[in-house]
Amino acid sequence: MANRILIIEDEEKIARFVELELKHEGNEVEKAFDGREGLEKALSGYFDLILLDVMLPGLNGLEVLRRLRLEKDTPVIMLTARDAVMDKVSGLDAGADDYITKPFAIEELLARIRVALKKRGPVAPLVTHSLAIKGVTLDQDRYEVKVNGEPVELTNREFELLRMLMKNKNIVLDREKLMNEVCGYDYIGETNIIDVYIRYLRTKIDDRYGIKLIHTVRGVGYVIKE
Ligand code: CA
């Protein structure tokens, strides 16, 4: 093994121990001690594999995984507490490759890492593409939106909302689905927050450039038609 591995684990003792073992096997290792820092590192750097604890301060492991999967398919092994069956199921549903229950034997972890890396094959390609509809282009790598080549400034949530709609063009998405994707599953609030962001997007794109991009489907949600 000689891979770049990111450990996202708030229990520093565990993180250090695993780091030493992985380095001993010839890997490069980075650590993050909370969810936000971990997500930031996972998104901004290249890693062959991520070890992700579920119970983390800041953002929990499942939320980190959910957000990571919008961008990258880096193999992820979740570290879960004993008997936390829900965490395992949710983790696998959210796109984890495997999980290991704490406390674990280091040999078992190393074996699972080898399996996860082999399954993915050599260097998993990053998601690198931009979406384009009706003169609107959205670059998922640079977080840039342009209309007829002219940059449009969007907030993060406006960007995520537009990306969801463009990725699912011609499919009507309801407010709840959009809210989960844009605000996160742990967001507690009214789904009409989506109507507010849609209004901002229309002001910045539809109205400003005189195009009919976002359509309302009454009683359901929104759709971008090609
Ligand atoms: Ca923890």
Side-chain angles (χ1 to χ4, degrees):
M1 284 202 282
N3 292 292
R4 279 183 58 75
I5 297 176
L6 175 63
I7 303 171
I8 308 175
E9 163 66 89
D10 60 314
E11 285 161 83
E12 299 194 16
K13 262 184 164 169
I14 296 181
R16 291 232 171 79
F17 170 65
V18 173
E19 177 187 27
L20 281 178
E21 292 290 334
L22 289 172
K23 280 187 167 167
H24 182 71
E25 299 254 316
N27 299 289
E28 280 177 52
V29 177
E30 272 210 47
K31 297 195 298 294
F33 299 120
D34 69 63
R36 275 181 207 288
E37 184 195 1
L39 180 65
E40 222 174 87
K41 285 192 172 174
L43 288 177
S44 60
Y46 174 79
F47 294 95
D48 296 289
L49 183 109
I50 297 169
L51 298 176
L52 176 59
D53 186 30
V54 174
M55 296 291 288
L56 286 170
L59 279 180
N60 74 44
L62 292 173
E63 186 58 21
V64 170
L65 179 62
R66 194 188 68 77
R67 296 194 194 180
L68 176 73
R69 281 289 174 263
L70 295 173
E71 309 281 326
K72 293 187 173 185
D73 65 353
T74 313
V76 170
I77 297 178
M78 306 287 291
L79 310 177
T80 69
R82 201 179 351 183
D83 300 330
V85 178
M86 272 315 290
D87 286 347
K88 291 166 196 166
V89 173
S90 316
L92 294 174
D93 277 352
D97 293 71
D98 201 356
Y99 61 84
I100 190 164
T101 307
K102 289 200 242 182
F104 47 80
I106 192 69
E107 285 310 323
E108 190 191 353
L109 179 64
L110 295 176
R112 281 168 187 264
I113 289 174
R114 279 189 284 269
V115 170
L117 288 170
K118 210 187 267 175
K119 239 183 0 198
R120 286 303 176 106
V123 185
L126 304 181
V127 181
T128 52
H129 57 269
S130 60
L131 306 164
I133 296 171
K134 289 183 181 168
V136 180
T137 58
L138 181 147
D139 187 321
Q140 303 195 74
D141 304 315
R142 298 173 172 208
Y143 276 82
E144 277 175 1
V145 173
K146 289 181 180 173
V147 180
N148 305 327
E150 199 178 296
V152 178
E153 290 275 332
L154 297 182
T155 64
N156 283 347
R157 283 184 173 177
E158 290 163 5
F159 181 91
E160 291 301 338
L161 182 57
L162 182 62
R163 169 157 61 179
M164 272 299 289
L165 288 165
M166 287 180 77
K167 254 167 108 171
N168 296 286
K169 66 182 177 192
N170 302 323
I171 298 170
V172 179
L173 299 176
D174 64 35
R175 289 177 178 78
E176 200 179 321
K177 169 123 184 100
L178 289 168
M179 192 178 81
N180 287 340
E181 291 297 333
V182 171
C183 305
Y185 284 91
D186 48 6
Y187 176 81
I188 298 166
E190 299 291 329
T191 52
N192 62 15
I193 186 83
I194 290 301
D195 302 328
V196 175
Y197 291 127
I198 291 282
R199 201 154 62 231
Y200 293 154
L201 278 176
R202 280 180 170 152
T203 305
K204 289 181 177 179
I205 297 175
D206 295 51
D207 299 349
R208 174 134 181 244
Y209 293 92
I211 45 177
K212 186 90 188 98
L213 186 69
I214 303 170
H215 297 261
T216 305
V217 180
R218 222 162 273 287
V220 187
Y222 297 98
V223 62
I224 285 180
K225 292 182 192 163
E226 181 142 57

